[in-house]
Amino acid sequence: MDRASQVLAQSLPRGASRTYAALAERGNQLAQNQQYLTPEEEKAVVKFLLLMSSLGHPVRIKFIPSLAFSVARRRSTNKPIKPPGKNWPRAFEKRHPELNARRVKAIDWKRHDKNIHEKV
């Protein structure tokens, strides 16, 4: 069953209007409650990733789940924190389009001999 059908099938609390707007808002709230990181934590991770990229240290997508896990562990909860799922990094990338993936070229080995003699 797709997400829209699931939201339509759910019961609303008493007094809530049964409009499509109300159902959609409730579906978004449920989706936010099920996210691995809170919106504030996600903003902090995005800010950190953009900072690392601007400093010239590109971040691999394999690094993002371990970063999110370390952020989630700092949250004060009584239940143990599990690492994010295997599809979480891709969904995180889709939620934040400002994180665009780019390829980094390898450093040319020929440049080594040209620049090292003056420094030695």
Side-chain angles (χ1 to χ4, degrees):
M1 185 184 288
D2 63 339
R3 181 177 288 166
S5 299
Q6 290 174 353
V7 171
L8 289 173
Q10 291 176 355
S11 62
L12 287 174
R14 292 181 186 222
S17 61
R18 189 159 175 81
T19 62
Y20 285 115
L23 290 171
E25 183 178 323
R26 179 148 170 83
N28 287 340
Q29 289 173 356
L30 290 174
Q32 281 185 353
N33 290 340
Q34 292 174 350
Q35 281 187 354
Y36 186 72
L37 295 176
T38 64
E40 294 83 20
E41 291 171 341
E42 281 198 1
K43 286 179 188 176
V45 170
V46 168
K47 190 175 179 181
F48 175 76
L49 293 173
L50 292 174
L51 176 69
M52 291 293 291
S53 179
S54 67
L55 292 175
H57 300 285
V59 179
R60 296 183 63 170
I61 199 154
K62 289 183 176 182
F63 174 69
I64 297 174
S66 63
L67 179 66
F69 183 57
S70 65
V71 169
R73 280 190 312 193
R74 297 195 182 275
R75 210 180 301 145
S76 60
T77 59
N78 294 336
K79 60 182 179 179
I81 303 288
K82 295 180 183 177
K86 66 177 185 176
N87 296 326
W88 183 85
R90 184 72 178 145
F92 181 78
E93 184 182 9
K94 285 183 180 179
R95 279 194 306 273
H96 300 283
E98 65 269 19
L99 298 175
N100 56 349
R102 54 186 149 183
R103 300 219 180 255
V104 179
K105 293 182 182 178
I107 297 175
D108 186 21
W109 282 101
K110 294 178 185 176
R111 76 171 183 89
H112 179 68
D113 292 332
K114 295 177 185 175
N115 298 323
I116 194 73
H117 293 292
E118 294 85 24
K119 296 177 183 176
V120 173

